[in-house]
Amino acid sequence: MTYIAKPRLHHPTLETNKVGYTRRDYEGKISTLCAGCGHDSISAAIIQACWELDIEPHRVAKLSGIGCSSKTPDYFLGASHGFNTVHGRMPSVLTGANLANRDLLYLGVSGDGDSASIGLGQFAHAMRRGVRMAYIVENNGVYGLTKGQFSATADSGSKSKKGVINSDSPVDLVAMALQLGATYVGRSFSGNKAQLVPLIKGAITHGGAAFIDVISPCVAFNNHPGSTKSYDYVREHNEAVSRIDFITEREEITAVAQPGEVVDVRQHDGSLLRLRSLHADYDATNRYTAMAYMQEHQARGEIVTGLLYVDPLATDLHTALNTSAKPLNELDVPQLCPGAPALDKLNASLR
């Protein structure tokens, strides 16, 4: 589908935001992900959030790593700056870009394999340093590009497509973000747009390190016995001259949870995802309460969603380093190289 281009013409009656852009102006290329993939819903939520925030697309820099999730920046904000890094290295590249040009809005998109395994150290340092960014992890618990092996966020006791039981303890990126000092931490579900869009808007406008873990089911790897949409079922009932793997179209999983309510979501493979939205009177400004609340409900088999923690007085890495208000990439030679007298003064102050 990559050869199919979206039409550039817009209907003249499309609604525009305050800066004159339609929602279509925030879109990217046609997605090549599996039909029904939750990642596409996250892309749609990012598009909606940026449109509602009246952000000019050229003011955004989107960076990603490697994986199904890291392909998605190609599907939104086509007129924005973009950089696809190597596996697990998105946070450090974004940190460098942020230090060079603080005027851009930074959006880091990653996955559970990209951030919780090879990029775990990079994730940790980006959070503790307070790099101003909206860090979104599209979490499906498997390596989708390499046929569905368990990722580091897969729950202990969960069963793979091949029936293997995961015996490893999961890496909880939300708990790590809270512990490491992130100043905006949330969790959502790709099928709950009403909850996800406001969370993304808050993360983009936040003044420090913002992290959102989005549970995003992988529709390709629910190949279980008894499913009429499994590969084996199609092969057994298809009379063909060759053996071809394909993914049939499936409806996307959606769920809406009211504050304080528990909603059970049945996934394509028959497994149950239990979501709890935060109570309306929940205090999201207490980091330790957030950690205790999340672990309490995790012990019940529930996934807490919503804005878990926010520091309204957050600062970022630029504040800590006392960098210039003018972006470093805009400084001219006299400012960058003030001469020998200034250097001698600096050296003397360090003696």
Side-chain angles (χ1 to χ4, degrees):
M1 297 293 290
T2 54
Y3 59 88
I4 300 178
K6 286 186 178 179
R8 295 185 178 181
L9 294 177
H10 293 181
H11 196 279
T13 61
L14 288 180
E15 183 182 359
T16 60
N17 58 14
K18 293 180 180 179
V19 289
Y21 291 95
T22 69
R23 189 184 178 281
R24 283 285 312 277
D25 294 319
Y26 294 87
E27 296 178 357
K29 297 179 182 178
I30 294 177
S31 173
T32 60
L33 298 175
C34 306
C37 179
H39 293 1
D40 284 331
S41 289
I42 300 173
S43 295
I46 293 172
I47 291 169
Q48 186 67 26
C50 291
W51 182 76
E52 292 182 4
L53 286 173
D54 304 313
I55 294 173
E56 295 172 306
H58 66 269
R59 292 186 55 233
V60 178
K62 50 181 184 175
L63 292 90
S64 63
I66 295 295
C68 291
S69 58
S70 293
K71 293 171 61 179
T72 62
D74 203 29
Y75 312 142
F76 61 82
L77 295 174
S80 298
H81 306 279
F83 195 96
N84 186 220
T85 72
V86 293
H87 207 187
R89 271 55 177 181
M90 177 273 291
S92 59
V93 177
L94 188 149
T95 299
N98 183 292
L99 286 173
N101 188 354
R102 63 187 302 168
D103 283 351
L104 294 178
L105 297 172
Y106 289 91
L107 182 63
V109 179
S110 184
D112 39 303
D114 194 53
S115 283
S117 289
I118 192 171
L120 188 60
Q122 301 252 332
F123 164 78
H125 291 300
M127 292 297 101
R128 75 180 187 87
R129 287 173 176 155
V131 180
R132 183 172 182 176
M133 63 188 294
Y135 195 133
I136 299 175
V137 166
E138 302 180 354
N139 186 354
N140 57 20
V142 295
Y143 289 95
L145 285 182
T146 54
K147 310 306 179 189
Q149 301 94 332
F150 290 124
S151 78
T153 63
D155 292 320
S156 179
S158 59
K159 184 183 291 187
S160 73
K161 172 183 174 180
K162 295 184 178 180
V164 178
I165 303 298
N166 180 35
S167 59
D168 297 334
S169 297
V171 171
D172 191 335
L173 292 174
V174 166
M176 289 190 66
L178 285 168
Q179 184 179 16
L180 290 166
T183 49
Y184 183 103
V185 181
R187 174 174 273 153
S188 191
F189 176 57
S190 62
N192 191 346
K193 185 177 180 180
Q195 181 190 65
L196 182 55
V197 172
L199 278 176
I200 294 175
K201 290 169 67 176
I204 292 174
T205 58
H206 184 63
F211 174 74
I212 305 175
D213 178 43
V214 187
I215 308 299
S216 180
C218 177
V219 297
F221 296 99
N222 62 344
N223 191 30
H224 56 283
S227 171
T228 58
K229 300 193 186 305
S230 68
Y231 293 117
D232 288 340
Y233 183 90
V234 174
R235 288 167 180 159
E236 292 169 6
H237 294 79
N238 184 30
E239 202 170 326
V241 295
S242 62
R243 186 181 176 101
I244 302 174
D245 285 344
F246 69 97
I247 299 171
T248 57
E249 184 173 357
R250 303 164 189 169
E251 292 185 2
E252 192 164 351
I253 307 168
T254 60
V256 176
Q258 299 299 321
E261 179 184 5
V262 176
V263 175
D264 290 341
V265 180
R266 183 71 62 179
Q267 300 191 82
H268 291 296
D269 62 355
S271 63
L272 203 63
L273 186 66
R274 178 161 291 172
L275 306 175
R276 175 183 286 275
S277 281
L278 298 175
H279 287 276
D281 58 352
Y282 175 84
D283 181 11
T285 62
N286 190 316
R287 186 185 300 271
Y288 305 106
T289 298
M291 296 176 68
Y293 187 93
M294 184 182 65
Q295 292 173 356
E296 176 187 347
H297 290 280
Q298 186 178 28
R300 303 178 190 174
E302 299 171 358
I303 300 173
V304 179
T305 64
L307 179 57
L308 286 162
Y309 173 74
V310 61
D311 181 355
L313 302 176
T315 57
D316 67 347
L317 183 59
H318 282 281
T319 302
L321 296 179
N322 194 27
T323 60
S324 66
K326 188 176 182 179
L328 299 182
N329 67 339
E330 294 182 11
L331 298 179
D332 52 26
V333 174
Q335 292 172 305
L336 293 173
C337 302
L343 181 59
D344 292 339
K345 183 179 179 181
L346 176 62
N347 290 333
S349 68
L350 298 175
R351 291 191 177 95

